[in-house]
Amino acid sequence: MSKLAKTLLLSATLAAANAMAMEEKAFDKAFDTLPKRGASEQLKALQDLRYRWTMESYPGWATYQGYPGVNDRWTDLSEEGMERRHEQTRRMLAASRHIDSAELPQNQQLDHQLLYQDLLNEVKGFQFPDQLLPVNHMDGIQRSVPGVLNAMPRRSIADYETILARLEKLPTLVQQTQMRMKEGLEEKITPPQITLRDLPGQIRALIPEDPKQSPLLKAFNEMPGGIPAGQQQRLRNRAYALYHKDLLPAWRGMAEFVERDYIPGAVVDTAFTNMPDGLRWYAHKVRENTTTSLSPEEIHRIGLAEVRRIRNEMDKIIRKTGFQGDFKAFTEFLRTDPQFYYTDKEELMRGYRDIAKRIDGELPALFGTLPRLPYGVKPIPAYSEKSQTTAYYQPGSAEAGRAGVFFANTYNLPSRPKWEMEALTVHEAMPGHHLQIALAQEQKDIHPLRRIGGYTAFVEGWGLYSESLGKDLGLYRAPYSEFGALTYDMWRAVRLVVDTGMHQLGWSREEAIEYFMNNSAKPLHDVTVEIDRYLVWPGQALAYKLGQLKIKELRARAEQQLGTNFDIRTFHDQLLGAGALPLNVLEARMNDWIQAQNAGSAGTRAKQAQAGQVTPN
């Protein structure tokens, strides 16, 4: 390293240390001034602190939420930064324990339960070294950094100065990430080697020779006309100079490290449970993602039962189409027949936008409350599309002036069948992720901490449940689209089997791919991407089907107990009205609502009976 580079690194490290010291003092001051008496006041102050702490500790997340004042920062990934956050979290947990929930009004008891439960689960996770797995082909700074930079405000000269300030700190983030990866290599804690094949390309896609082509500097190619031309050129020149001087060397160094050291030294075993203390670590991830106490073995059995059920439904659709052949032949037909595929990326995107528009007009029949924040449909960026999943949703923010986005993958068009598009749009856009997340953001009667919260089992369970509403929205009219919806349901059921199979029961990656292919019409490329996702995100994919099953169970219970008084719009509004919740909390809340609805109906019938209008049952 040159003397200049060492000086720059030292300056960046000192700046980070100074920021850390200020942040620590601010936390200490806020914590020490928490109210000592009055349960309601204690809870509100602790929620305020937790919210501020979350935004300032994770500035990238704060950018997406439109939280002001931290857009020039990145999360501190140094050992000192992580230890500081751990200690502060423990202090907040201790404070939450001292709040007497019995003294809280009813509307705050849920707040306290969620705050305490979240802090407790977070502290329980500190025993496992997640920090040694900061990067894989699905996420990491090579994925998050371009998104954060492109989500930043860019309306004024001051906005662009803030972007430049954040870019100046980026080499430190790259270095800290690399240090955690090196520690992971030493401890034999890495993603499976087979999953890392696209990682160097993802990193290098950020740093082409021409800065105009870099996703890191996209904002400087799209500057608003309100900024004078001379100022635009000044800001652009600063960005390009920073790119060549600091950003290129930092990212190239990381790419070379990944190619030279990280991939060759990565673990070959694919089972997460082969990591140090892997069985307990995986069990924690399962509980964390599903918000249930189900064991991996129990989840595996649920998955097998769901695969059998859905497979029977699929066979019925095959017979309805008149296809002459077995399941394997039918899925091969769906994977290969040209009628099911677009040959132009823009046509694919127009197809998604048309489906989204048709859905929007049907939503009032199923929901009493709809979000005000709009959403758009865009292709997944080229730098990540090859190893990215079929689609994903990026939340918007009214505060930041940014709509939600349903990102669809246009890479390798022969693996993007038309028959999956309706179910996918319902899941990622409306009434799936956009409706649920935007509604949560717009809940003004709950604390901001809960508006930004997310529990995978609820969020993704809702997305999968939404797919079952397709027929009510005028979708799945063609048998192939109906089969596509079942394929997506099967996809999530298979996850229960293969995730637990690979990580708990000794399945190989190849066995998991074969099982997936034998029970799904999804193309091999998608299946391979999915299996590798489960390898680097153990337990995460279990949340979808378990969340969906719980929501369906609650709906069936409400329909059975409320009878003719059941209203689907009211049910959905109640389910979504408190934002995302752990499944155990959701069930208790909905059970209370069902009882209240029954009590109200009984009271109405009694009054009508007294008036001689009806005879009580």
Side-chain angles (χ1 to χ4, degrees):
M1 182 183 292
S2 68
K3 184 175 180 181
L4 176 60
K6 289 181 179 177
T7 301
L8 288 172
L9 179 58
L10 178 60
S11 299
T13 303
L14 289 173
N18 289 335
M20 177 172 58
M22 290 174 64
E23 186 180 316
E24 192 166 6
K25 289 178 182 176
F27 178 88
D28 289 344
K29 181 178 179 181
F31 189 86
D32 291 341
T33 56
L34 288 174
K36 307 302 181 201
R37 313 183 83 174
S40 182
E41 292 76 14
Q42 287 178 311
L43 176 60
K44 176 65 165 58
L46 187 56
Q47 283 181 298
D48 291 345
L49 175 58
R50 172 70 168 173
Y51 178 73
R52 176 184 169 188
W53 177 90
T54 301
M55 295 296 106
E56 295 187 6
S57 296
Y58 303 99
W61 178 237
T63 293
Y64 282 114
Q65 299 303 318
Y67 183 88
V70 295
N71 278 340
D72 61 340
R73 310 178 201 170
W74 302 103
T75 296
D76 182 3
L77 296 185
S78 67
E79 287 189 25
E80 297 80 6
M82 288 184 292
E83 281 302 317
R84 182 182 74 255
R85 289 193 294 275
H86 286 185
E87 177 58 26
Q88 291 168 344
T89 304
R90 292 186 184 98
R91 292 171 68 185
M92 287 187 285
L93 174 61
S96 72
R97 281 190 173 123
H98 287 97
I99 296 173
D100 187 351
S101 60
E103 294 183 6
L104 291 170
Q106 189 171 6
N107 65 339
Q108 280 191 303
Q109 289 183 1
L110 178 58
D111 285 355
H112 181 250
Q113 180 183 5
L114 294 176
L115 179 63
Y116 173 74
Q117 188 169 308
D118 291 349
L119 288 166
L120 180 62
N121 288 337
E122 195 170 330
V123 169
K124 285 181 177 178
F126 292 163
Q127 63 188 301
F128 304 111
D130 283 299
Q131 73 274 9
L132 301 187
L133 292 166
V135 169
N136 55 59
H137 74 288
M138 292 296 298
D139 62 10
I141 59 171
Q142 85 286 1
R143 283 290 183 82
S144 62
V145 163
V148 170
L149 290 170
N150 290 324
M152 293 178 67
R154 51 176 94 167
R155 294 182 286 270
S156 65
I157 293 174
D159 288 340
Y160 277 85
E161 294 284 1
T162 302
I163 295 173
L164 286 167
R166 196 171 229 169
L167 285 170
E168 287 170 352
K169 298 181 178 73
L170 185 50
T172 299
L173 178 68
V174 174
Q175 184 213 26
Q176 290 176 343
T177 302
Q178 205 167 310
M179 286 299 298
R180 304 290 79 78
M181 294 168 74
K182 286 180 179 178
E183 292 170 8
L185 272 180
E186 294 168 2
E187 299 292 331
K188 301 298 182 187
I189 297 174
T190 72
Q193 188 181 75
I194 187 67
T195 66
L196 296 172
R197 57 193 179 278
D198 293 329
L199 185 56
Q202 291 175 357
I203 298 170
R204 293 191 183 279
L206 302 179
I207 47 170
E209 285 296 332
D210 183 357
K212 298 185 186 70
Q213 303 302 317
S214 173
L216 301 174
L217 301 188
K218 184 179 178 183
F220 294 89
N221 298 330
E222 305 170 348
M223 302 181 78
I227 298 178
Q231 290 290 346
Q232 287 194 28
Q233 194 58 49
R234 178 185 67 82
L235 293 165
R236 200 174 285 120
N237 288 343
R238 279 185 59 192
Y240 292 168
L242 176 63
Y243 182 79
H244 288 295
K245 181 170 170 286
D246 295 333
L247 300 182
L248 273 176
W251 286 102
R252 279 177 179 163
M254 184 174 181
E256 290 165 3
F257 161 71
V258 168
E259 292 165 338
R260 182 186 64 245
D261 301 322
Y262 199 63
I263 293 178
V267 298
V268 176
D269 284 333
T270 53
F272 192 77
T273 44
N274 288 333
M275 295 276 196
D277 203 17
L279 281 169
R280 290 180 61 249
W281 196 354
Y282 180 59
H284 171 75
K285 286 187 174 295
V286 170
R287 289 192 299 271
E288 181 180 52
N289 282 290
T290 68
T291 62
T292 73
S293 57
L294 293 169
S295 70
E297 290 83 2
E298 290 173 314
I299 293 171
H300 190 82
R301 289 193 292 272
I302 293 170
L304 291 172
E306 277 294 282
V307 167
R308 287 192 297 269
R309 179 189 65 79
I310 300 166
R311 180 63 179 271
N312 287 335
E313 295 298 315
M314 289 175 139
D315 289 339
K316 293 177 185 177
I317 300 295
I318 294 173
R319 290 194 294 271
K320 187 163 71 172
T321 66
F323 181 82
Q324 300 299 311
D326 60 9
F327 181 85
K328 185 175 181 180
F330 185 73
T331 56
E332 184 63 19
F333 164 65
L334 293 183
R335 292 185 187 113
T336 57
D337 195 291
Q339 69 174 301
F340 299 123
Y341 297 89
Y342 287 104
T343 57
D344 179 83
K345 292 184 177 183
E346 284 303 316
E347 286 185 8
L348 176 66
M349 294 307 299
R350 280 195 293 271
Y352 276 122
R353 292 178 182 124
D354 174 68
I355 294 168
K357 193 67 176 175
R358 286 191 281 124
I359 289 171
D360 287 348
E362 304 296 330
L363 292 171
L366 297 178
F367 300 90
T369 304
L370 294 170
R372 295 184 298 276
L373 188 72
Y375 71 97
V377 184
K378 297 181 180 180
I380 289 174
Y383 62 81
S384 65
E385 63 182 2
K386 183 178 179 182
S387 56
Q388 185 55 272
T389 53
T390 311
Y392 60 87
Y393 171 73
Q394 177 179 290
S397 168
E399 289 78 8
R402 191 182 67 253
V405 182
F406 161 31
F407 282 100
N409 204 325
T410 61
Y411 173 77
N412 189 21
L413 289 177
S415 69
R416 312 294 169 200
K418 296 177 183 178
W419 43 258
E420 73 176 0
M421 293 172 64
E422 290 182 342
L424 191 61
T425 305
V426 169
H427 183 107
E428 300 295 346
M430 294 285 261
H433 288 329
H434 179 70
L435 186 146
Q436 182 265 311
I437 292 173
L439 276 180
Q441 291 172 331
E442 294 171 8
Q443 295 287 337
K444 300 306 180 186
D445 57 343
I446 62 176
H447 194 277
L449 185 62
R450 282 180 49 202
R451 292 204 293 269
I452 66 166
Y455 300 91
T456 307
F458 183 97
V459 174
E460 296 297 353
W462 171 260
L464 182 51
Y465 165 79
S466 295
E467 293 175 24
S468 70
L469 303 176
K471 287 188 176 182
D472 296 323
L473 296 166
L475 306 177
Y476 311 153
R477 297 292 175 85
Y480 300 116
S481 292
E482 189 176 5
F483 192 89
L486 287 173
T487 291
Y488 266 55
D489 200 19
M490 176 67 86
W491 172 18
R492 282 39 171 264
V494 166
R495 285 174 169 177
L496 301 186
V497 179
V498 298
D499 193 293
T500 54
M502 290 189 294
H503 295 304
Q504 186 78 18
L505 303 177
W507 287 28
S508 69
R509 175 175 177 268
E510 291 70 27
E511 287 173 316
I513 291 174
E514 182 181 7
Y515 183 86
F516 205 141
M517 292 293 293
N518 287 340
N519 288 286
S520 168
K522 289 188 73 64
L524 178 61
H525 173 81
D526 279 10
V527 169
T528 303
V529 168
E530 283 295 314
I531 293 299
D532 287 347
R533 164 187 168 168
Y534 312 152
L535 291 177
V536 300
W537 287 352
Q540 189 268 353
L542 305 176
Y544 296 64
K545 172 55 74 169
L546 294 178
Q548 177 220 36
L549 290 174
K550 179 57 66 178
I551 292 172
K552 284 191 167 186
E553 174 191 326
L554 294 171
R555 175 172 169 175
R557 186 179 304 162
E559 289 175 334
Q560 191 272 326
Q561 294 189 21
L562 298 180
T564 57
N565 292 317
F566 176 80
D567 178 73
I568 189 62
R569 299 167 82 242
T570 307
F571 173 80
H572 286 154
D573 288 355
Q574 179 68 16
L575 192 83
L576 300 173
L581 298 170
L583 295 185
N584 63 318
V585 176
L586 175 68
E587 182 164 22
R589 171 181 164 82
M590 295 306 292
N591 285 341
D592 289 345
W593 174 77
I594 293 170
Q595 290 179 9
Q597 294 290 106
N598 267 329
S601 298
T604 299
R605 287 196 300 271
K607 289 179 181 178
Q608 290 173 338
Q610 289 176 353
Q613 296 173 347
V614 298
T615 302
N617 293 325

